[in-house]
Amino acid sequence: MMKKTSVEIIKIIIFTIIFCGKIPAQITLATIKSDDQNDRELYIKGFVQADYMVSFQNMKSKDGFSSYSIEIPQKNAINSNFSVKQTTLGIGFKQKNTNDNKTLSVYAEIDFSGPNGTTAPRFRHGYLQWNKWLAGQTWSNFSDIEILPMIFDFVPPDGLFLTRRIQLRYTTPISTKGSLSFSLEDPNTPSIRLPTDSLNWQKRAIIPAFSTLYRYGNEKNYIKAGIVLSPISYDMKYTSKEDYKTNTIIGWGGMISGKIRLDTKNTFSLQSSFGKGFSTYNTNLREESYDAVPNLYNKNLLETLQLFNIIGAYEHWWASKWSSVFFFSYSNIGFYDFIPKDMTRRFQNISCNIIYHPYKKVRFGIEGNYGKKQNFRNESADGWRIQASTKMYF
């Protein structure tokens, strides 16, 4: 009897997940009204996704398409991969003070993209938010999660700025449609290349990155403009008898992005960014040592590298249950004589999909990705990947 009851409960939960609510959504576990009349809510949210991918070129990134990870020289080879690593699970708590309109919330989230290709849980988000303040790890203030198109791929468009950071952030409205946010972010995030010698130069985390972002618009149409300053510090010396001294250089970047919804069927998105020494904010380059490299012609002192990115996306609804997204992305590293020739100079990708939405919280689809990269030796390689996916929100 108990087994039958459990099965019925599971059926009810699945029915609720599939047929009710909007995307993104959440399941409320408990709602409490305390003696002080404050509303408190405990909830979970996330999605389950399963992917089957076929690649036609060797690339290091197995669970998501990344043009940067295509191997040079060209090696055409067919590889397939099943993955559920995109699946996420989050739990949160909210409290709203009805007297002074202040809110308190706590949220934590994991996915299953563990180390060394495993499906072990991986920490994604964990933060506390009180009124206008946020402290913890979540999307960088210099990221624009709203511009992410409706795609299945684990890796967003190559040129997109979408990274998670430990941070302290303050956000405030400055008009009916405008808001301004400031953040101090983890000083250990710059990714640099140090000289390969016996003197053991070392990266040092001293000054946190600072970013500010302005947003104007509503949920459907908006524009954002942001600036980031990213100090890069390292210990250096030229002889074994010297003491280490700390040198600091400044990386910087600017970003503008926006979305225009022409009507219920057509939406355009665009983002562009440019700067020096801020490559760690790029989706593909965050741990690849592209913020700064040694200048052999200037005593091996580190110099920041330029980076330019642009992406555009178009979403179209063919019918009430059918949609597609097309996007392009291009990234280019500025040229200097001292840059190692094996480093990537430019990379780009395009993608297109077709998605069927049988219910509000269920998607099935096929997605194709093409990418190309070129290094500073002018060697290049390109690759294709086709992905079939199913996704269910809760």
Side-chain angles (χ1 to χ4, degrees), residues 56-97:
F56 300 90
Q57 165 69 13
N58 284 351
M59 58 184 72
K60 296 178 182 178
S61 179
K62 301 298 183 184
D63 299 300
F65 186 87
S66 166
S67 300
Y68 173 80
S69 76
I70 297 173
E71 294 182 4
I72 295 179
Q74 184 85 31
K75 294 180 181 178
N76 295 323
I78 298 178
N79 303 283
S80 63
N81 182 40
F82 283 94
S83 178
V84 295
K85 295 180 181 179
Q86 293 199 49
T87 298
T88 67
L89 175 63
I91 184 168
F93 170 82
K94 293 179 182 177
Q95 174 180 298
K96 184 175 182 179
N97 191 321

Side-chain angles (χ1 to χ4, degrees), residues 254-280:
M255 178 266 289
I256 185 167
S257 64
K259 180 181 291 186
I260 299 176
R261 186 174 182 181
L262 298 180
D263 50 43
T264 57
K265 294 183 178 180
N266 300 283
T267 303
F268 289 92
S269 304
L270 182 69
Q271 183 183 92
S272 184
S273 54
F274 175 78
K276 296 182 68 176
F278 77 133
S279 300
T280 188

Side-chain angles (χ1 to χ4, degrees), residues 205-264:
I206 301 177
I207 308 172
F210 170 79
S211 73
T212 180
L213 184 72
Y214 173 72
R215 185 191 191 279
Y216 180 84
N218 52 37
E219 184 179 350
K220 297 178 180 178
N221 301 279
Y222 72 87
I223 186 170
K224 290 183 179 180
I227 297 173
V228 65
L229 299 176
S230 179
I232 301 169
S233 300
Y234 60 99
D235 292 338
M236 55 170 289
K237 62 180 180 179
Y238 291 109
T239 67
S240 58
K241 296 181 180 180
E242 294 180 50
D243 292 329
Y244 284 106
K245 67 176 183 178
T246 302
N247 193 26
T248 299
I249 56 179
I250 302 295
W252 62 271
M255 178 266 289
I256 185 167
S257 64
K259 180 181 291 186
I260 299 176
R261 186 174 182 181
L262 298 180
D263 50 43
T264 57

Side-chain angles (χ1 to χ4, degrees), residues 47-53 60-64 81-89 109-124 152-155 164 387 390-391:
F47 59 84
V48 177
Q49 179 167 334
D51 303 320
Y52 174 63
M53 293 157 281
K60 296 178 182 178
S61 179
K62 301 298 183 184
D63 299 300
N81 182 40
F82 283 94
S83 178
V84 295
K85 295 180 181 179
Q86 293 199 49
T87 298
T88 67
L89 175 63
E109 182 182 285
I110 61 171
D111 65 12
F112 296 89
S113 183
N116 303 317
T118 66
T119 54
R122 178 183 66 161
F123 178 73
R124 285 171 56 88
F152 289 109
D153 189 44
F154 202 2
V155 178
R164 294 178 293 273
Q387 175 174 332
T390 181
K391 190 172 189 177

Side-chain angles (χ1 to χ4, degrees), residues 124 139 144-151 153-157 160 162 222 259 269 271 283 311 313 315 325 327 391:
R124 285 171 56 88
W139 300 115
D144 182 7
I145 186 66
E146 295 179 81
I147 203 172
L148 184 65
M150 190 186 299
I151 60 176
D153 189 44
F154 202 2
V155 178
L160 196 67
L162 197 62
Y222 72 87
K259 180 181 291 186
S269 304
Q271 183 183 92
T283 301
I311 69 163
E315 180 181 321
V325 168
F327 76 75
K391 190 172 189 177

Side-chain angles (χ1 to χ4, degrees), residues 98-391:
T98 55
N99 295 325
D100 53 15
N101 202 32
K102 291 184 177 179
T103 59
L104 171 69
S105 63
V106 181
Y107 183 71
E109 182 182 285
I110 61 171
D111 65 12
F112 296 89
S113 183
N116 303 317
T118 66
T119 54
R122 178 183 66 161
F123 178 73
R124 285 171 56 88
H125 300 276
Y127 61 86
L128 182 149
Q129 191 167 9
W130 180 76
N131 203 22
K132 299 179 180 181
W133 291 92
L134 180 148
Q137 177 172 298
T138 188
W139 300 115
S140 166
N141 187 46
F142 197 64
S143 296
D144 182 7
I145 186 66
E146 295 179 81
I147 203 172
L148 184 65
M150 190 186 299
I151 60 176
F152 289 109
D153 189 44
F154 202 2
V155 178
D158 289 339
L160 196 67
F161 276 56
L162 197 62
T163 57
R164 294 178 293 273
R165 292 284 187 267
I166 299 173
Q167 61 191 279
L168 176 65
R169 184 194 301 177
Y170 177 80
T171 305
T172 184
I174 58 176
S175 67
T176 55
K177 291 186 177 182
S179 64
L180 192 62
S181 57
F182 307 90
S183 72
L184 294 175
E185 301 184 356
D186 187 359
N188 197 39
T189 53
S191 183
I192 61 177
R193 180 176 292 205
L194 293 167
T196 55
D197 55 31
S198 59
L199 296 176
N200 294 321
W201 292 22
Q202 298 177 3
K203 186 178 79 169
R204 182 175 291 275
I206 301 177
I207 308 172
F210 170 79
S211 73
T212 180
L213 184 72
Y214 173 72
R215 185 191 191 279
Y216 180 84
N218 52 37
E219 184 179 350
K220 297 178 180 178
N221 301 279
Y222 72 87
I223 186 170
K224 290 183 179 180
I227 297 173
V228 65
L229 299 176
S230 179
I232 301 169
S233 300
Y234 60 99
D235 292 338
M236 55 170 289
K237 62 180 180 179
Y238 291 109
T239 67
S240 58
K241 296 181 180 180
E242 294 180 50
D243 292 329
Y244 284 106
K245 67 176 183 178
T246 302
N247 193 26
T248 299
I249 56 179
I250 302 295
W252 62 271
M255 178 266 289
I256 185 167
S257 64
K259 180 181 291 186
I260 299 176
R261 186 174 182 181
L262 298 180
D263 50 43
T264 57
K265 294 183 178 180
N266 300 283
T267 303
F268 289 92
S269 304
L270 182 69
Q271 183 183 92
S272 184
S273 54
F274 175 78
K276 296 182 68 176
F278 77 133
S279 300
T280 188
Y281 285 88
N282 178 279
T283 301
N284 284 262
L285 301 178
R286 58 183 179 270
E287 297 176 359
E288 299 296 332
S289 304
Y290 278 78
D291 284 335
V293 300
N295 185 346
L296 301 176
Y297 309 110
N298 187 24
K299 301 180 180 180
N300 268 341
L301 293 175
L302 298 195
E303 293 198 21
T304 54
L305 301 186
Q306 290 183 3
L307 176 64
F308 169 76
N309 304 277
I310 186 169
I311 69 163
Y314 169 57
E315 180 181 321
H316 177 73
W317 283 80
W318 305 97
S320 61
K321 294 186 177 182
W322 291 90
S323 69
S324 291
V325 168
F326 169 82
F327 76 75
F328 74 90
S329 174
Y330 174 81
S331 299
N332 185 76
I333 311 294
F335 178 78
Y336 299 99
D337 290 338
F338 57 83
I339 297 179
K341 301 302 181 184
D342 63 332
M343 294 183 71
T344 299
R345 183 173 182 179
R346 60 175 63 95
F347 51 96
Q348 59 207 61
N349 74 308
I350 60 173
S351 176
C352 186
N353 63 30
I354 182 73
I355 304 174
Y356 175 55
H357 309 253
Y359 307 108
K360 290 182 178 180
K361 296 186 179 182
V362 178
R363 301 175 184 171
F364 301 96
I366 297 177
E367 193 165 270
N369 264 290
Y370 169 78
K372 184 176 182 179
K373 67 179 283 187
Q374 180 182 15
N375 62 22
F376 282 90
R377 290 194 186 97
N378 290 322
E379 300 171 326
S380 63
D382 58 6
W384 287 88
R385 176 175 289 172
I386 297 175
Q387 175 174 332
S389 299
T390 181
K391 190 172 189 177

